[in-house]
Amino acid sequence: GAVVSQHPSWVICKSGTSVKIECRSLDFQATTMFWYRQFPKQSLMLMATSNEGSKATYEQGVEKDKFLINHASLTLSTLTVTSAHPEDSSFYICSARPGQANTDTQYFGPGTRLTVL
Amino acid sequence: AQSVTQLGSHVSVSEGALVLLRCNYSSSVPPYLFWYVQYPNQGLQLLLKYTSAATLVKGINGFEAEFKKSETSFHLTKPSAHMSDAAEYFCAVSAMNRDDKIIFGKGTRLHILP
């Protein structure tokens, strides 16, 4: 149980285009999902927290207009990188927290590698 | 505010030897503490977590960690390393009973020598 999937697993795009990444909780409902960014050989940096049905909360320094997050249902959150540039190339990982009283568990997706040419 | 410091970006141990990955945390509130493992080009897998119950936490794959409040540490150990343990390990902290952001350390890459 507690499986989180991401689609696509990798994507290559041209500079200036937009890319959408999906994060799905497959066997549980996730009231909260998190989006992280990981540069090569570095740690995960939290980008934003999204709660189903409300606006995402972005971490300091993350451009909300560039990284659009939508959490339209209890099993799906999307991250859209708008007008992507080479510096946006990174490994994007989502995690999902089940909608239960126990708040200490997040389940991570396998990640999406974005390469912007 | 919370933070995590992992001592040593790279650790090498011989197969069969003790694995010790160090983690110190800083937290203004009682913390939850986690260890995650990441294999190349994959997401994170939870090894174990401390949530204020037993201070010695046992996880998957033979790993365990001990919460020491006096030392603000949560070091990860395994008695005997296996080649398959080679990976990146992240220590992480979140606030207990408050919000659920997880703050990650910079990671330690574990190398296993044959």
Side-chain angles (χ1 to χ4, degrees):
Chain A
V3 177
V4 176
S5 70
Q6 284 185 239
H7 178 80
S9 55
W10 60 269
V11 56
I12 301 173
C13 69
K14 292 183 178 180
S15 185
T17 61
S18 294
V19 174
K20 179 184 286 188
I21 302 170
E22 294 184 349
C23 176
R24 292 181 186 273
S25 55
L26 298 186
D27 49 5
F28 65 96
Q29 292 186 329
T31 54
T32 305
M33 288 185 170
F34 304 86
W35 286 96
Y36 296 85
R37 182 174 182 177
Q38 185 181 31
F39 290 104
K41 301 186 187 302
Q42 295 189 30
S43 188
L44 281 73
M45 299 300 295
L46 180 65
M47 299 174 66
T49 302
S50 77
N51 292 293
E52 186 267 338
S54 63
K55 289 184 178 181
T57 301
Y58 290 81
E59 294 299 302
Q60 191 173 7
V62 178
E63 300 175 59
K64 63 177 72 172
D65 294 331
K66 179 163 187 65
F67 298 99
L68 301 179
I69 291 172
N70 184 280
H71 192 163
S73 78
L74 287 172
T75 60
L76 173 65
S77 176
T78 61
L79 167 68
T80 301
V81 183
T82 62
S83 186
H85 290 280
E87 58 265 30
D88 298 323
S89 298
S90 189
F91 195 50
Y92 292 87
I93 301 177
C94 74
S95 69
R97 180 174 65 82
Q100 300 167 357
N102 180 3
T103 63
D104 65 282
T105 301
Q106 293 182 24
Y107 299 96
F108 285 80
T112 296
R113 181 155 311 277
L114 170 64
T115 302
V116 184
L117 302 177
Chain B
Q2 298 171 302
S3 66
V4 169
T5 301
Q6 290 183 242
L7 301 176
S9 57
H10 292 265
V11 170
S12 296
V13 300
S14 298
E15 189 174 19
L18 171 71
V19 175
L20 171 61
L21 303 182
R22 299 178 186 274
C23 172
N24 288 89
Y25 70 91
S26 173
S27 179
S28 56
V29 298
Y32 285 159
L33 292 159
F34 309 83
W35 274 100
Y36 288 89
V37 61
Q38 184 181 35
Y39 296 98
N41 295 310
Q42 294 188 30
L44 273 68
Q45 181 180 9
L46 180 66
L47 279 177
L48 50 81
K49 60 184 179 183
Y50 165 78
T51 57
S52 82
T55 56
L56 181 62
V57 182
K58 293 186 184 297
I60 62 172
N61 301 341
F63 285 93
E64 62 181 39
E66 186 172 8
F67 172 70
K68 292 187 176 180
K69 185 177 179 180
S70 61
E71 299 177 8
T72 60
S73 69
F74 190 58
H75 302 330
L76 180 71
T77 61
K78 180 174 180 177
S80 177
H82 192 273
M83 295 301 290
S84 61
D85 294 327
E88 188 87 18
Y89 291 80
F90 293 98
C91 182
V93 63
S94 72
M96 189 184 298
N97 296 326
R98 188 180 293 181
D99 63 51
D100 42 18
K101 289 183 204 176
I102 292 182
I103 306 300
F104 287 87
K106 293 188 175 182
T108 298
R109 180 161 296 277
L110 177 63
H111 304 271
I112 309 298
L113 307 174

